[in-house]
Amino acid sequence: EKGGYPSFMAKEIHDQPRAIADTLLGRTDAAGHLVLDEMKLDESELRSIDKIVVISCGTSAYAGQVAKYAVEHWCRIPVEVEYAHEFRYRDPVVNQRTLVVAISQSGETMDTIMAVRHAREQGARVLAICNTHGSTIPRESDAALYTHAGPEIAVASTKAFLAQITACYLLGLYLAQIRGNKYADEIADVLQQLHEVPAKVQEVLDGLEQVRALARSMADTRSVLFLGRHVGYPVAMEGALKLKELAYIHAEGFAAGELKHGPIALIEPGQPVFVVVPSPRGRDSLHAKIVSNIQEIRARGARTIVIAEDGDTDVEPYADTVLRVPQTSTLLSPLLTIVPLQVFACELATAKGLDVDQPRNLAKSVTVE
Ligand code: M6R
């Protein structure tokens, strides 16, 4: 059932184009409008919300952090993203006008279940974004939007992550559509771009030899840093989490802008640093800033491994290695830039002789608080 792959994780990484495509499937009508009737939340209710709070854990929390950038941009609704276990045990400000979005692959994560209960007690409407039909979180929520990634077996989440980001984008575009704000015109265009993403993920998967060889050559590495800005920041943290979980290597993800406020002190000759670079088109200053971050760490001896869009030549003078992804808009880029990082972690762990499907000390779903 591993489909000829050496592990469930490798198979699930290769399932990703389909996971995205299936999550998009059947969610637009003939006129190209999003139809999310299955959510069973009243449109007038959705029009009146004034805040979104995303609660989740681990990789699902990083999907929420990616979503924040897109949903705030398209809908102009403030989005807070918080670990479910932190949300639950403070005194969060939520009420009837808050839409709480609980993201969970399994639907059985106890921290997230407790946070859902707490949010509903405060009067918030709760929407579950979940991969498992009939599981506790969607059952206990007011509404559910399912990701269609198929069962995820490997402990490390991969295809569920991409499907969660896709579902969050659908939610954001849907809210923009029904609230009729100025970004409503962008919806058709973004949806079109989203439909092109599975083929682009496939392109990344078809060109993995470089990242595999890199991972094998780094099997003795003891520490790896990951930097990103904007949507690249949660991607950096997810890349670090994958490496911790699978390869038991110390790894940290940072917001690149934070470097000079402390983490740059960690840079010493030979320190490997992955840098997730946003598209050079569009938000120019963002791109230029991260190129200068790469320059700064390279000058201090870092070994720079840069994930950049096809055609981005600005990064080349400062990159020891460039891992390429196809062009897409900045907001959708996490669906592509995370893939080399997943493969890197999987391959490096395999090179160390570790079981990538069952990393030590971890369970697929954490059903205790
Ligand atoms: O099933 P959930 O999405 O609620 O799980 C949340 C986390 O436990 C999960 O994403 C965990 O961090 C994975 N091991 C990450 O690879």
Side-chain angles (χ1 to χ4, degrees):
E1 62 285 354
K2 292 178 191 163
Y5 291 97
S7 60
F8 281 108
M9 186 183 178
K11 173 183 180 290
E12 288 161 7
I13 288 173
H14 284 82
D15 281 347
Q16 293 186 121
R18 169 165 293 244
I20 298 170
D22 286 353
T23 300
L24 292 172
L25 198 69
R27 280 166 167 165
T28 31
D29 65 15
H33 291 122
L34 278 161
V35 188
L36 298 182
D37 292 345
E38 60 184 281
M39 287 204 318
K40 295 198 182 67
L41 276 181
D42 202 63
E43 280 197 18
S44 62
E45 221 167 19
L46 288 175
R47 269 193 282 272
S48 70
I49 58 168
D50 60 9
K51 180 167 83 166
I52 296 175
V53 178
V54 180
I55 48 174
S56 41
C57 304
T59 291
S60 299
Y62 297 139
Q65 292 202 21
V66 169
K68 175 184 166 79
Y69 292 87
V71 175
E72 287 193 336
H73 175 68
W74 293 326
C75 307
R76 311 312 300 155
I77 305 172
V79 180
E80 292 171 13
V81 184
E82 192 165 13
Y83 285 127
H85 35 89
E86 286 295 320
F87 173 88
R88 171 67 187 87
Y89 291 101
R90 59 185 184 86
D91 192 8
V93 182
V94 294
N95 56 39
Q96 292 81 346
R97 300 190 67 186
T98 313
L99 178 66
V100 169
V101 179
I103 307 179
S104 176
Q105 188 285 130
S106 61
E108 300 298 346
T109 299
M110 188 51 78
D111 287 317
T112 310
I113 295 172
M114 297 307 284
V116 166
R117 290 180 186 158
H118 186 68
R120 292 196 73 197
E121 277 160 22
Q122 310 303 304
R125 305 297 276 160
V126 179
L127 168 70
I129 291 186
C130 187
N131 198 44
T132 313
H133 278 265
S135 57
T136 307
I137 290 170
R139 271 196 285 116
E140 294 208 10
S141 299
D142 295 291
L145 178 61
Y146 282 99
T147 48
H148 295 155
E152 193 179 62
I153 311 290
V155 165
S157 186
T158 54
K159 63 177 180 175
F161 179 61
L162 296 199
Q164 287 164 344
I165 293 174
T166 305
C168 287
Y169 289 159
L170 289 176
L171 173 66
L173 293 169
Y174 179 68
L175 289 173
Q177 177 181 288
I178 63 172
R179 292 163 71 98
N181 67 25
K182 64 178 174 141
Y183 288 101
D185 292 346
E186 271 186 43
I187 295 175
D189 185 41
V190 179
L191 267 175
Q192 173 60 35
Q193 289 181 45
L194 255 181
H195 280 99
E196 290 165 8
V197 167
K200 292 180 180 181
V201 174
Q202 189 57 51
E203 229 181 281
V204 178
L205 295 172
D206 290 340
L208 290 176
E209 205 28 61
Q210 186 192 11
V211 68
R212 289 209 176 104
L214 178 74
R216 289 193 292 267
S217 75
M218 289 175 66
D220 295 332
T221 306
R222 302 185 57 120
S223 150
V224 182
L225 305 180
F226 295 78
L227 298 180
R229 290 184 95 107
H230 194 263
V231 286
Y233 170 38
V235 171
M237 290 192 291
E238 169 63 3
L241 177 61
K242 286 281 130 344
L243 201 57
K244 290 178 226 191
E245 283 190 292
L246 297 167
Y248 318 149
I249 289 177
H250 178 253
E252 282 309 323
F254 298 109
E258 201 51 22
L259 257 185
K260 57 185 175 302
H261 300 286
I264 199 164
L266 290 168
I267 306 294
E268 55 185 12
Q271 170 68 52
V273 185
F274 280 81
V275 187
V276 184
V277 177
S279 166
R281 299 159 296 116
R283 293 160 193 270
D284 304 333
S285 59
L286 193 68
H287 182 264
K289 286 208 165 70
I290 205 149
V291 173
S292 89
N293 291 141
I294 304 172
Q295 218 171 331
E296 280 157 14
I297 55 172
R298 186 81 173 322
R300 288 162 179 79
R303 173 177 177 193
T304 55
I305 303 150
V306 173
I307 299 168
E309 221 181 66
D310 283 335
D312 179 355
T313 49
D314 298 352
V315 297
E316 283 170 3
Y318 317 110
D320 291 296
T321 306
V322 185
L323 302 173
R324 293 288 178 185
V325 295
Q327 299 185 349
T328 189
S329 67
T330 299
L331 287 172
L332 303 190
S333 63
L335 295 169
L336 302 175
T337 52
I338 191 58
V339 178
L341 301 183
Q342 296 168 333
V343 173
F344 177 77
C346 183
E347 195 72 25
L348 199 154
T350 306
K352 286 178 78 167
L354 302 171
D355 179 348
V356 294
D357 287 336
Q358 292 287 340
R360 70 183 178 201
N361 307 340
L362 291 171
K364 178 63 183 160
S365 118
V366 184
T367 54
V368 291
E369 266 196 276

